[in-house]
Amino acid sequence: MLVDNAVEGDSRVQKAARSAADAGWDVTLLGCARAAEEKTWRLGDAEVRVLPMGNHAPAAGLRGRLVSRGGLPLRAARLARRPVEHAQVAFWRSVRGDRSWRKLEPGLWGYERLFGPVIDELQPDLIHAHDFRMLGVAARAKQRSTRPVRLVWDAHEWLPGAKPRRDNVRWLPAHLAYVNEYVGQADAVVTVSDTLAELLQRDHDLPERPGVLLNAPLADTEAGAPDLRERCGVDQDTPLLVYSGALAVQRGLDTVVDALPRLPGVHLALVVGDLTAPYLLQLLARAERRGVADRVHAVPYVPYRQLVEFLGGADVGLIPLHHWPNHEIALITKFFEYSHARLPIVVSDVKTMARTVRETGQGEVFKAKDEADLVRAIQAVLADPKRYRAAYEGPDSPLKEWTWEAQARHLDALYRRLLGTDTPAETR
């Protein structure tokens, strides 16, 4: 398995690796990080190797000074370069088509140089490539191999609807070209939702509809999680909202902080991977300006097998996303984690999750970016939490299908089909 991050904090990747190993497959999960040395550990019977990308020096010269200074000079420089970037995209796409990423985003070769020799040494029978950057790395390894190799591409998001990771015009067309060049090498494609499966089949003219592996949590979780309320310093009678996961402007946390002055006595827990992240510090400063800093608590991640129990200490799970194409098409990881923690969910009116919450009755929907409507939704849930928690009980509960164990069985069946074995891995 390949992933373009440091593995820790990526629950889908960790669960996939561990469950495959539990089923009897010999699994090596390769990640990467800006570090000087390789880091290794085990997830159950799966071996994890995080390869060192090295520490990149800060930009030098005029560009370095602009980046470090920020503000108006940096914004002006970025605007000034836009016509050049548009021209670059138009030229290289016309000249090289799907191979244009080599000129528009040559940094992608860094992943090839890092992962390629390790994959060749491992001589895998199957490569499971997580997300878009690893697709090309896996495809080229498959092409180089002197023995048969099967390739599974796990598309975590719809790339045309993704927010560019960098502020330049080249980023998205370069990565779209990269995926287009290599998607035909995949023997199977899996993804996170039915809607995304349909989009992928349409965009890439795939011969079969991608399989769906929901970002569901483990039903068999690990006991002994820390106490969320204890980490926040609040008692059992204090209303506690929780947001768990990556932080970014488009995830809507500004609206939550702005709503807190109108929710007296209500506290907010932000469960995040990096307590020094710039955007988190901006949120905490925003809370200070709003006079609610004493009610906003940043707490670190816990191991993914403990997360459901950890989140269960809250009263409400928040998903305040802005409207963005990828936010509309899937039930995201935290949706399932909140559900298994039996938390009522307050979600913005992004299409798929809003529809699901309305159908199940497990929470309230509010208009994205609308502070007053968010206050209404939170107050409704806090006034009658049992009404919303009831959706998780009884014969109609969706939780039995929303487990990683159910998804892992589909993944194991896919591996067996691709490798031509009809018996479970553990019996071989």
Side-chain angles (χ1 to χ4, degrees):
M1 288 192 182
L2 312 178
V3 66
D4 67 345
N5 61 38
V7 177
E8 292 176 314
D10 193 327
S11 61
R12 180 180 180 88
V13 170
Q14 292 181 71
K15 288 180 294 189
R18 183 163 186 163
S19 63
D22 288 346
W25 302 98
D26 180 7
V27 179
T28 301
L29 169 57
L30 300 178
C32 58
R34 299 200 186 284
E37 297 181 351
E38 180 175 323
K39 182 179 178 182
T40 64
W41 70 92
R42 300 197 73 81
L43 280 171
D45 289 329
E47 181 184 18
V48 180
R49 296 174 59 183
V50 177
L51 307 178
M53 299 177 73
N55 294 308
H56 291 256
L62 175 60
R63 179 174 178 270
R65 291 195 295 274
L66 285 171
V67 170
S68 63
R69 184 179 302 172
L72 184 59
L74 180 60
R75 290 196 295 272
R78 285 173 171 166
L79 287 173
R81 79 185 184 203
R82 291 299 169 82
V84 175
E85 292 174 350
H86 282 292
Q88 289 173 327
V89 170
F91 176 77
W92 287 114
R93 288 180 69 177
S94 67
V95 171
R96 305 196 69 174
D98 289 339
R99 295 169 62 84
S100 61
W101 65 267
R102 292 163 170 79
K103 296 294 185 179
L104 298 174
E105 189 73 18
L108 285 168
W109 284 118
Y111 294 101
E112 171 69 22
R113 288 191 292 268
L114 182 66
F115 285 88
V118 181
I119 299 171
D120 294 345
E121 182 181 346
L122 288 169
Q123 295 187 320
D125 298 295
L126 184 147
I127 304 174
H128 184 144
H130 285 276
D131 225 350
F132 54 90
R133 285 199 182 104
M134 293 295 99
L135 174 59
V137 174
R140 288 190 294 269
K142 175 182 176 179
Q143 292 169 343
R144 287 192 306 272
S145 179
T146 58
R147 54 204 298 274
V149 177
R150 299 299 185 183
L151 169 55
V152 175
W153 179 37
D154 193 333
H156 293 190
E157 60 182 321
W158 186 49
L159 189 54
K163 188 175 178 65
R165 308 288 171 85
R166 291 211 316 274
D167 183 22
N168 71 54
V169 173
R170 300 185 305 272
W171 191 93
L172 186 55
H175 285 85
L176 288 172
Y178 179 77
V179 169
N180 288 338
E181 179 174 356
Y182 293 112
V183 67
Q185 293 291 321
D187 298 287
V189 180
V190 296
T191 190
V192 299
S193 73
D194 291 319
T195 304
L196 185 47
E198 293 168 3
L199 290 170
L200 290 167
Q201 186 173 27
R202 181 201 70 187
D203 290 352
H204 301 295
D205 195 25
L206 300 176
E208 63 180 37
R209 185 174 176 275
V212 175
L213 299 176
L214 298 175
N215 283 326
L218 291 160
D220 182 19
T221 58
E222 185 178 289
D227 187 295
L228 176 60
R229 289 179 175 272
E230 183 178 301
R231 286 197 170 179
C232 294
V234 300
D235 60 26
Q236 293 296 321
D237 297 325
T238 299
L240 182 60
L241 316 175
V242 68
Y243 173 88
S244 173
L247 298 178
V249 172
Q250 67 269 21
R251 294 177 183 257
L253 275 303
D254 289 359
T255 307
V256 179
V257 171
D258 290 347
L260 284 179
R262 300 175 61 180
L263 294 164
V266 176
H267 286 237
L268 169 65
L270 300 172
V271 182
V272 298
D274 182 1
L275 297 181
T276 65
Y279 182 61
L280 173 60
L281 300 181
Q282 292 174 26
L283 281 175
L284 297 178
R286 191 183 192 97
E288 183 75 36
R289 294 194 298 272
R290 300 290 186 271
V292 295
D294 61 328
R295 295 194 277 130
V296 178
H297 314 279
V299 297
Y301 281 159
V302 298
Y304 76 94
R305 295 179 72 90
Q306 297 179 353
L307 184 57
V308 167
E309 180 185 346
F310 185 62
L311 295 173
D315 296 298
V316 178
L318 296 175
I319 306 178
L321 298 172
H322 295 174
H323 288 290
W324 197 266
N326 268 332
H327 293 168
E328 309 287 345
I329 61 178
L331 300 176
I332 61 178
T333 303
K334 65 175 63 61
F335 181 92
F336 294 114
E337 291 165 346
Y338 293 163
S339 297
H340 278 268
R342 270 63 172 183
L343 293 182
I345 295 175
V346 171
V347 64
S348 62
D349 55 345
V350 290
K351 184 177 178 180
T352 300
M353 285 183 285
R355 182 180 67 236
T356 303
V357 163
R358 289 181 176 124
E359 290 175 350
T360 62
Q362 68 191 103
E364 288 285 337
V365 176
F366 74 98
K367 185 177 180 180
K369 301 185 183 181
D370 190 322
E371 173 191 329
D373 202 32
L374 173 60
V375 170
R376 173 203 60 78
I378 291 171
Q379 288 175 333
V381 170
L382 291 176
D384 189 8
K386 289 183 180 179
R387 168 191 165 193
Y388 302 96
R389 292 179 186 267
Y392 302 123
E393 309 302 330
D396 296 327
S397 170
L399 295 184
K400 59 181 178 292
E401 294 298 324
W402 291 351
T403 68
W404 182 257
E405 286 84 350
Q407 312 311 308
R409 288 192 289 273
H410 298 312
L411 186 60
D412 180 58
L414 173 62
Y415 288 173
R416 288 188 280 114
R417 175 170 69 84
L418 292 177
L419 292 175
T421 175
D422 295 325
T423 57
E426 64 266 23
T427 66
R428 295 200 301 275

